[in-house]
Amino acid sequence: MKKTILVMIILFLSVFSIFAVNFEIGLQGFYDFEDFNDRVGVKIYHLAPNFDFVADIGFYSDEKYSFYESDYYLDHYFLIENGYITFRSFNNSIKFSSGIKDLQDEVNSPYSLFFSSERISQPYLEFGYEDEHMFYDTRWIQLVSSSNNYFDEPKSMNYKTYGLKFGDFRFGYQDAVVYNREFDFFYLFNPLPVYFSQEIRASENIMPWAEKSKNDNSLMGFFIDYDKPTYYFYSQILVDDLNTNRFFYPEKTQNPDKIAFSSGITVNQNCLRWF
């Protein structure tokens, strides 16, 4: 029965792709001097000026995970690597996006600090605005669901970006918070940086907005980048915790500073050949 359903789904998507979307199948092989493994990718997508639809599934034979129905997929397990929709306004200034996505950092680098450059897909909800002078983005990202078998509590993340644009140059402030709850309305829709939202809700406050058992960890940072056809330059810093006690309370226990920094340049050799 399950094999029949799988075949019907593949036939439906194949017919659907002829009339509405693009359909791709990719095959990759990996050999580590001991075993040979493969990845079969199936991707259906439709990219338009005001609407994106992406469904991307990868089938793997590397036995990294134990998949209870691997027999139906020729000893493969599968991962939903991308499955999302994006709506944009007619002038492309306003964006709404949701689904499961391999989320990328603001900087184009394998050493980005806020989001890994590896393919790690997560459920998310995103609102964004961008024009010729500025951009703003706010995301909710689910890290661990409340019903997960292997974790005791849920965990989510909210992320914001505030930026200015000057031609090919961008300057931005990045803001993130990780917490042990499924969703937080306050972080997603409040345009203020996380620091202010977190501080006003602290359980130690004697005020109506104080909330119990908050254990939220905020991070912040800045980036600059300059994108030209011949080269791309970026620089990024992330601050998890700065020990200001050394200045205000030098007699107290001193926590270590937690800071990360990344910078790089990429040169497009194909473009340079024309000079």
Side-chain angles (χ1 to χ4, degrees), residues 48-59:
N50 305 112
F51 175 74
D52 293 345
F53 171 87
V54 178
D56 185 8
I57 296 179
F59 295 83

Side-chain angles (χ1 to χ4, degrees), residues 31-197:
Y31 181 65
D32 61 0
F33 300 101
E34 293 183 1
D35 299 309
F36 179 83
N37 296 301
D38 63 86
R39 174 191 178 275
V40 180
V42 179
K43 184 176 182 180
I44 300 172
Y45 63 96
H46 175 73
L47 305 178
N50 305 112
F51 175 74
D52 293 345
F53 171 87
V54 178
D56 185 8
I57 296 179
F59 295 83
Y60 295 85
S61 66
D62 56 15
E63 298 182 349
K64 181 178 181 180
Y65 299 105
S66 178
F67 191 44
Y68 81 107
E69 287 191 339
S70 60
D71 293 342
Y72 293 102
Y73 303 98
L74 303 177
D75 294 324
H76 287 64
Y77 67 89
F78 68 84
L79 299 177
I80 303 175
E81 296 180 338
N82 283 291
Y84 64 89
I85 57 172
T86 299
F87 296 95
R88 285 179 290 271
S89 60
F90 290 107
N91 61 357
N92 287 325
S93 60
I94 300 175
K95 175 181 67 174
F96 166 80
S97 186
S98 184
I100 298 174
K101 189 176 183 181
D102 174 20
L103 298 169
Q104 302 297 317
D105 208 315
E106 292 296 331
V107 298
N108 182 16
S109 168
Y111 308 106
S112 55
L113 301 179
F114 277 81
F115 289 91
S116 172
S117 58
E118 298 294 327
R119 302 193 68 175
I120 305 174
S121 303
Q122 296 290 348
Y124 77 104
L125 176 65
E126 179 178 14
F127 300 92
Y129 174 83
E130 182 172 358
D131 59 32
E132 60 180 333
H133 300 298
M134 64 88 67
F135 55 94
Y136 169 76
D137 192 86
T138 178
R139 299 176 191 168
W140 164 82
I141 305 161
Q142 182 186 73
L143 304 178
V144 178
S145 71
S146 58
S147 58
N148 191 282
N149 285 339
Y150 304 102
F151 294 86
D152 296 330
E153 57 185 3
K155 189 176 290 290
S156 297
M157 170 183 174
N158 278 81
Y159 168 82
K160 288 184 174 67
T161 305
Y162 311 78
L164 298 174
K165 299 163 61 177
F166 306 94
D168 299 317
F169 175 83
R170 297 191 308 162
F171 171 77
Y173 170 73
Q174 294 174 277
D175 193 48
V177 60
V178 179
Y179 49 86
N180 298 329
R181 299 183 296 284
E182 191 77 36
F183 182 79
D184 196 298
F185 182 95
F186 205 86
Y187 287 138
L188 180 63
F189 293 104
N190 188 344
L192 287 172
V194 165
Y195 172 81
F196 298 102
S197 301

